[in-house]
Amino acid sequence: MARTTAASRPKLSSSAPPEKLPVRLTVNGEVRELQLRPWTTLLDALRDHLDLTGTKKGCDHGQCGACTVLVNGRRINSCLTLAVMQDGARVTTIEGLATDDTLHALQQAFIDHDAFQCGYCTPGQICSAAGLIREGKAKTADEIRELMSGNICRCGAYPNILAAIQQAMGRS
C-alpha cells in the first residue's frame, strides 16, 4: 500500500464565494431585477433586497408558515426556496393582495372576524388562505383546518381565522 504524503496529495484550491446571479421576479405586479448570491432565500430577497417586510421570518425551517407567499398562484414557504429557483416567477406577498384602495376579501374578513391578535402570523395566514381558496379543494371547516395546518398561530386565533376564510370563500 502506497503511503500518502503531503506532497503527493492534490492541492485544494481556495475558491472565492459564488458570484451574484441575476434574478428576475415579478413581485406584486412589478418586474424586479436583482443580483443575488445563490444561497439567498426568496424570503430574504423579499425582506432584505426589496424591503417587503410584510412576509415574516418565523422558524426559517418551513414549519410555521409565517413566510407564506404565492408563487405563480401557489402558496409556498418562502424560507424553503432559493430566489434563483424562482427566476421568472410571479410572486404575490401580503403587500400585493389589495387592489388600489380596496382590501382583498381575505384581508377584510380577517378584520371583520378579529382573526389576529399579535398579527405576526397574519400575512402568512392570509397568503396561505388565498392559495387555499384558489386551489378549490377545501369545502368544509375540517378541510380548511387541514389545509391550513402548516400555518401556526401562537396566539390561538384559529376559530376566528377559520371564520374569516369561510367568509372570504363565500365572497370569492
Side-chain angles (χ1 to χ4, degrees):
M1 183 179 222
R3 191 175 156 149
T4 308
T5 65
S8 66
R9 275 184 256 149
K11 293 191 179 190
L12 299 175
S13 64
S14 64
S15 59
E19 295 295 318
K20 290 184 176 183
L21 300 172
V23 178
R24 182 182 184 153
L25 302 168
T26 302
V27 181
N28 300 329
E30 183 181 338
V31 175
R32 305 298 298 264
E33 308 250 352
L34 302 166
Q35 293 289 323
L36 301 171
R37 298 267 186 212
W39 56 79
T40 304
T41 64
L42 180 58
L43 173 61
D44 289 337
L46 293 169
R47 291 183 58 80
D48 300 339
H49 297 273
L50 297 176
D51 294 322
L52 294 170
T53 57
T55 305
K56 302 301 183 210
K57 185 176 279 207
C59 66
D60 232 7
H61 295 288
Q63 297 175 343
C64 73
C67 67
T68 304
V69 297
L70 301 171
V71 174
N72 297 327
R74 298 187 69 220
R75 55 194 171 144
I76 69 161
N77 291 331
S78 61
C79 74
L80 292 182
T81 187
L82 299 175
V84 296
M85 295 170 60
Q86 302 304 329
D87 188 35
R90 288 176 294 105
V91 179
T92 305
T93 68
I94 190 68
E95 293 94 343
L97 285 178
T99 51
D100 301 319
D101 291 332
T102 306
L103 292 177
H104 185 278
L106 279 161
Q107 292 170 314
Q108 186 60 57
F110 267 63
I111 293 168
D112 294 348
H113 291 277
D114 195 24
F116 48 87
Q117 286 181 34
C118 79
Y120 197 82
C121 73
T122 305
Q125 296 277 359
I126 291 174
C127 284
S128 188
L132 173 139
I133 291 170
R134 186 167 192 258
E135 291 161 9
K137 295 178 184 173
K139 307 291 185 226
T140 67
D142 284 341
E143 290 170 337
I144 293 169
R145 283 187 200 96
E146 176 66 26
L147 292 170
M148 289 293 293
S149 65
N151 291 81
I152 296 171
C153 173
R154 288 175 176 86
C155 299
Y158 296 114
N160 299 14
I161 292 169
L162 175 62
I165 294 169
Q166 289 174 316
Q167 175 181 313
M169 287 175 74
R171 290 182 14 192
S172 22

